Amino acid sequence: MSEKEHKQELITLMDDIMSEIDLKPLHPKNKLLLYSRYLLSKISWHFTVTTISRTWVSENMDSVVNNNKFGLNIYPPSIKFAQCQTVARNALKTSPNHSIKDLWKTTSESKNIQYDVYISTKEVLKTFNSGQEDKLQNHLILQGSFFSNVIKFSLSKLNGIWSKSQSNLPKNIYNFTICYINNSLPTRKNLTKWGILSNSDCFFCLNPETLLQVVAGCQTYLPRFTWRHDSVLNFIAQTLQPVNNSNLFVDLPGYKSPSIVTGDTFRPDLLLSINSDCLYILELSVGYESNLQTNVDRKRRRYEDLITQQKKQFKSVKFVNLSISSLGVFSKECHSFLDILNDLGLDKRHQHFAIRKIMSIAIRTTYYIFCCRDKDWSNPELLNI
């Protein structure tokens, strides 16, 4: 039998057995037992005597198992192949026949070297399990990044409000937030990791399409991020507009431009002047959770000179550095936003309402941005809820 025929026989045998196991009315646990104890045993002899490479087995047989509904936490055929080759090599190495030992020495090169390093089949499994543990640990670190960033950078007293806002979302958007937190959304990076796609590059910028890249990083998506930012800013402006004896300037159509006060060099998102005595300068940032503090520091440096200039015109100048995440988490610096709501006389109930709305708008707009990934942007109207 030629190598080509042997490969085809292996593929056919495996497909037939996998299909047969899949059709049986058994508990998934028992199907796993059939796979590990029957299928792998059935192909062991082929793996022991074959000249096929492990690379071919990984590329053509592992995928059959990984794409099956059994799950990923099982030993793939390539590991069984390594075990069988290890047994065959050890049999040559430990043979009492000197001619067979000489055969082992003669063939201890090229692809056989990778099997000669193992003393037993248990070592093959140990090496595989160690690699899987490293992958799992790395994956858990990625999944835990949301909470670690929240702990480091968020305004903790608002996290309870965020949880309530999340729980009141429609089911599809709520599920989106759960997958977002777990980093299990179908980005091209994840789809490649799961073996569904072969290329993880973004259609527009050609960088790997990660969650960060989709919701806050892709330069081609800047109009989308601006739409999200302006949707949040529009609600804040509506909240602050009814204040008596005040002038509101917002960097949005339909409002007086902040440039009237600050000039064109600096143009913050929102200015609120009260009785010509007090000026609030509000700058909004909506970005990824890991950049909450970075955005705060960047905006503070950017507007230092403007604050100094305006102190010559107003008795009191207060800078409101409002940095929230794409999932609506408020940074620690956002206490200044709560201060302005207090100063303007909004009671706690009204304040919590405004905060919940801001969180909800951020989450909903991020959800829409994610749903529109890899698609042309239609410039929708600002989100009002």
Side-chain angles (χ1 to χ4, degrees), residues 29-183:
K29 181 180 178 180
N30 293 326
K31 290 186 177 183
L32 282 173
L33 288 174
L34 279 175
Y35 165 79
S36 59
R37 296 184 181 180
Y38 176 71
L39 173 60
L40 293 183
S41 298
K42 194 76 173 176
I43 59 179
S44 292
W45 174 249
H46 293 272
F47 283 170
T48 303
V49 300
T50 187
T51 57
I52 295 171
S53 69
R54 184 177 178 179
T55 301
W56 182 88
V57 175
S58 298
E59 292 176 350
N60 295 276
M61 300 185 72
D62 285 3
S63 58
V64 177
V65 176
N66 290 342
N67 289 335
N68 195 275
K69 65 181 68 175
F70 292 161
L72 299 176
N73 193 25
I74 52 179
Y75 295 124
S78 60
I79 298 303
K80 189 64 177 180
F81 180 86
Q83 286 184 304
C84 293
Q85 289 293 306
T86 299
V87 170
R89 295 296 299 167
N90 282 340
L92 296 177
K93 182 180 179 180
T94 59
S95 173
N97 189 308
H98 293 293
S99 297
I100 294 178
K101 280 189 174 181
D102 290 340
L103 176 62
W104 173 79
K105 292 178 181 178
T106 304
T107 56
S108 292
E109 56 186 22
S110 186
K111 64 181 181 181
N112 291 321
I113 296 176
Q114 60 183 312
Y115 311 118
D116 289 341
V117 298
Y118 299 118
I119 298 175
S120 66
T121 56
K122 289 184 178 179
E123 280 201 11
V124 178
L125 295 182
K126 185 177 180 181
T127 302
F128 173 75
N129 289 333
S130 178
Q132 292 297 98
E133 288 173 4
D134 291 341
K135 288 181 181 178
L136 178 60
Q137 186 176 20
N138 182 56
H139 187 57
L140 290 175
I141 289 172
L142 290 174
Q143 287 187 328
S145 63
F146 176 85
F147 292 109
S148 63
N149 288 323
V150 167
I151 292 170
K152 288 180 185 177
F153 306 125
S154 71
L155 188 59
S156 58
K157 67 180 180 180
L158 296 184
N159 290 343
I161 299 177
W162 185 89
S163 296
K164 291 180 181 178
S165 298
Q166 182 204 25
S167 62
N168 290 328
L169 291 167
K171 185 176 180 180
N172 59 329
I173 303 179
Y174 175 82
N175 290 339
F176 164 78
T177 64
I178 296 299
C179 292
Y180 180 112
I181 291 169
N182 292 328
N183 192 27

Side-chain angles (χ1 to χ4, degrees), residues 176 179-180 183-188 190-191 194 209-216 221 224-225 227-228 363-375 377:
F176 164 78
C179 292
Y180 180 112
N183 192 27
S184 58
L185 287 167
T187 60
R188 293 183 66 84
N190 279 342
L191 292 173
W194 299 334
E209 189 189 81
T210 62
L211 179 59
L212 166 60
Q213 193 264 354
V214 172
V215 302
Y221 286 2
R224 310 172 191 219
F225 305 151
W227 169 76
R228 176 178 58 197
I363 294 172
R364 289 168 184 263
T365 50
T366 297
Y367 170 74
Y368 186 72
I369 288 171
F370 186 84
C371 291
C372 292
R373 68 194 184 284
D374 301 334
K375 299 176 183 177
W377 185 245

Side-chain angles (χ1 to χ4, degrees), residues 8-20:
Q8 185 58 49
E9 182 178 338
L10 272 172
I11 291 294
T12 303
L13 176 63
M14 187 165 186
D15 285 343
D16 290 345
I17 296 177
M18 290 290 282
S19 298
E20 187 178 353

